[in-house]
Amino acid sequence: MKKIILISFFCLSLNTPNGFAQKVETDITACKGILAVLEQLQSDLPKLAIEKTLDSILLTRPYQVMFKHYNRNWRPKHLPKSVFKRMILSLKFPSQYKLGENQRADAMFPYWKNAFNNIETFKKNISMLQEAKLDEMLQQGVSNAQKWLPKSMKIPDFSYFVHPNGGSNEFAINGNQGYDFFQLKTDMDGNIDIPSLVDLIAHESHHLGLKVSAPEFKNPKDSLAYSFLQVFVAEGTASKFVDNMPGGFVDKISEGRSKNTDTEIMEIWRGYTLKEGELFDAFE
């Protein structure tokens, strides 16, 4: 078993050249959409009118991708869209959602409450994102990630979303990268630390580029054990090589880089019971 795993993970082809994504779609429209919702929640508009605006935003691609992330096959009802919607509406209409109803929505609520109470800061950070050279930063982040992948693995084209969330800081799924607007790194004045986005993009891009196929096992326990290892290899290599986490001997890409901390592993294990034969897909 150990020999099979080592061979599968480390005997990789080194024939194709390193490169990086040639096409990246950038979308921060969800931030402006949610700003409109927050402003309506602070107005005298009736609940039905606000619901209509919110419904239209939750149907956009950034939020559809977000719901796919939270409701993966190993946690299919983790965050229903109806629960997320009611949690947001409860900022003005408290009876819509009660804390304790959904663990994920409970954890998100403080971020939404803070945004609701600090709309001017919310607006300012949207402006900073709009003015940032995101396309250049994306290419730099992808290039940094590609340096730490085998030559046989190329980071694919992907879509890049920034949207108010309150859960995962960032995630990658099905050729998409999602970043939580609420949890982007900020300075002492609450302004987004734009340069730090390069490190975040590099981390998630590494997940998209790391493709390790699993051999077929006759024993479901061996298959589960291999999948378990895949999860830690995916997160461990991104954290160690791309983020340059302390410990061991890995050369830094550059001096003074921020250290990313990713919560995906904890999200996988929190409230999740392993069953024989189940495979993880958190790092697609």
Side-chain angles (χ1 to χ4, degrees), residues 2-216:
K2 291 181 180 179
K3 290 182 179 179
I4 293 176
I5 290 175
L6 289 174
I7 290 172
S8 298
F9 272 112
F10 299 111
C11 290
L12 302 168
S13 170
L14 300 177
N15 296 324
T16 58
N18 272 359
F20 52 90
Q22 300 299 313
K23 180 181 177 183
V24 179
E25 177 187 351
T26 306
D27 189 342
I28 63 173
T29 57
C31 299
K32 295 184 69 175
I34 291 300
L35 173 60
V37 171
L38 294 176
E39 290 177 331
Q40 288 184 2
L41 286 168
Q42 290 194 347
S43 73
D44 295 327
L45 279 177
K47 176 173 168 289
L48 286 178
I50 301 173
E51 276 192 273
K52 184 176 180 180
T53 302
L54 181 55
D55 284 338
S56 66
I57 294 168
L58 296 185
L59 286 174
T60 60
R61 190 176 175 192
Y63 279 105
Q64 292 302 303
V65 171
M66 185 198 78
F67 288 121
K68 288 180 180 178
H69 163 63
Y70 285 122
N71 301 302
R72 297 174 190 259
N73 63 4
W74 47 269
R75 55 178 186 189
K77 298 180 180 179
H78 185 66
L79 182 68
K81 182 167 70 173
S82 60
V83 171
F84 185 69
K85 171 185 170 180
R86 289 190 290 102
M87 180 271 292
I88 296 171
L89 291 173
S90 72
L91 292 168
K92 181 175 182 178
F93 310 102
S95 64
Q96 287 292 297
Y97 179 83
K98 299 296 183 183
L99 291 177
E101 180 179 342
N102 179 280
Q103 184 179 20
R104 173 62 70 181
D106 286 356
M108 291 174 160
F109 183 76
Y111 292 100
W112 287 86
K113 184 68 172 177
N114 182 64
F116 181 69
N117 292 334
N118 297 278
I119 287 186
E120 290 307 313
T121 299
F122 193 97
K123 288 181 181 178
K124 179 178 63 176
N125 282 330
I126 290 177
S127 296
M128 292 186 69
L129 272 185
Q130 290 175 319
E131 294 169 5
K133 297 179 179 179
L134 288 179
D135 291 340
E136 293 180 13
M137 297 174 68
L138 280 162
Q139 293 299 336
Q140 183 60 52
V142 172
S143 180
N144 288 351
Q146 188 68 63
K147 293 175 183 177
W148 293 106
L149 286 168
K151 292 181 180 179
S152 61
M153 297 183 187
K154 184 175 183 292
I155 296 169
D157 297 340
F158 62 89
S159 297
Y160 170 86
F161 303 116
V162 179
H163 56 297
N165 179 342
S168 300
N169 299 51
E170 62 274 342
F171 59 83
I173 182 172
N174 298 335
N176 300 285
Q177 290 189 24
Y179 293 77
D180 182 16
F181 181 74
F182 293 146
Q183 298 182 74
L184 295 177
K185 186 178 179 180
T186 57
D187 60 22
M188 295 296 292
D189 297 321
N191 300 317
I192 294 177
D193 180 2
I194 296 296
S196 71
L197 290 176
V198 173
D199 288 349
L200 293 176
I201 292 163
H203 182 104
E204 294 303 314
S205 297
H206 188 275
H207 286 332
L208 291 179
L210 186 65
K211 298 294 183 183
V212 182
S213 59
E216 293 186 8

